[in-house]
Amino acid sequence: MPPTKHRPKLTQKELRAPDEFTTFIDSARDFFVNNLTQVIVSAVVVVVVGAVVIGVYYYERNRDNVASSKFYDAITALNAGKNKDAETQFKQLADEEPGRRLGRLARFYAASAYIADGDLANARDSLVAFLAEERDPLFRSLALTNLAVVYERMADWKKAAGAYQQAAADPGPEQTRAQLGVARMLAKAGDKQGAIDAYRGFLTAHPFAQQRQDVLESLALLGAPADVAPPSLGASSGPQPVVIH
């Protein structure tokens, strides 16, 4: 007869001890039940926040598209010479979207429409508002030059000279024009010597400028001797022809 296997007896202490896995499950269930409301609220918050983020994204995209469409319509009107329509459309866009790039640029282009229409006061105000926020060097140079033109047409020589000086301070497509504008405004303001110095400084900095002859004529009108040497082909003027001996 095979030997009988004896199972170990459980002590009273072991019988009273809870099973660890069962205890963990029970604790998790109790925690979930006790915190069910908080869990549900948290889940709802996550869903709501996600929905808001998605909604804001598509809302902003839609506003971008609307702003682009309005800007295009205004540019089209400006290019077609419909200045009044362009003024109205650009101003509306600038007022509706002051925080968007196209909304800020609308002030710059609105000024162009005002200038073309001879409305200098509104052109000035639009450019001043644009420059107060614009940081792009190219657009600042263009806007400052246009503002100087507006002041010049308004016969405000001092402010025109100041705007031209700011435009001339930074490299850009309008720098040469702005430098000459400074000299011209000084002459109109009665600062004869200042204008002469500005014209001579221009010739020194730009000896081969297309405007050289005009500058020399302006100096002559101011009674200044033409003591600026004409440009010559020196060692630093560029590539030289090869001489074969």
Side-chain angles (χ1 to χ4, degrees), residues 29-203:
R29 183 182 63 251
D30 292 341
F31 175 82
F32 182 79
V33 171
N34 293 333
N35 296 274
L36 180 60
T37 301
Q38 182 177 352
V39 171
I40 293 175
V41 170
S42 299
V44 170
V45 168
V46 171
V47 172
V48 170
V49 170
V52 169
V53 170
I54 294 173
V56 169
Y57 171 77
Y58 283 106
Y59 174 72
E60 292 298 325
R61 285 291 301 273
N62 181 65
R63 287 183 63 181
D64 284 339
N65 292 335
V66 172
S68 298
S69 178
K70 290 184 177 180
F71 189 85
Y72 176 80
D73 290 342
I75 284 288
T76 301
L78 180 63
N79 291 336
K82 300 178 181 179
N83 298 322
K84 291 295 184 183
D85 292 341
E87 293 165 14
T88 301
Q89 293 172 24
F90 279 128
K91 186 178 184 305
Q92 182 181 8
L93 179 57
D95 292 341
E96 291 177 351
E97 301 291 355
R100 294 182 186 277
R101 179 60 174 160
L102 290 180
R104 293 192 296 271
L105 284 177
R107 297 191 185 280
F108 173 81
Y109 286 99
S112 298
Y114 285 130
I115 292 173
D117 205 28
D119 189 346
L120 300 180
N122 276 323
R124 174 200 59 204
D125 294 344
S126 187
L127 288 168
V128 169
F130 173 75
L131 287 166
E133 298 181 348
E134 183 61 25
R135 296 294 177 267
D136 185 274
L138 175 59
F139 276 100
R140 282 192 62 82
S141 174
L142 295 171
L144 283 167
T145 303
N146 285 347
L147 181 59
V149 169
V150 170
Y151 282 133
E152 185 174 357
R153 293 185 182 181
M154 297 175 77
D156 193 335
W157 317 128
K158 184 176 181 179
K159 288 185 178 180
Y164 277 129
Q165 284 175 338
Q166 291 184 65
D170 297 321
E174 299 298 318
Q175 186 179 45
T176 300
R177 177 186 176 188
Q179 290 171 341
L180 291 174
V182 172
R184 188 172 63 255
M185 292 307 99
L186 291 173
K188 288 186 176 183
D191 186 355
K192 180 178 176 180
Q193 189 56 51
I196 291 173
D197 292 342
Y199 278 128
R200 285 178 173 170
F202 176 84
L203 290 176

Side-chain angles (χ1 to χ4, degrees), residues 208-227:
F208 297 96
Q210 294 179 348
Q211 301 90 340
R212 177 181 176 82
Q213 187 58 41
D214 292 336
V215 172
L216 291 174
E217 292 176 3
S218 296
L219 284 170
L221 290 174
L222 291 169
D227 56 356

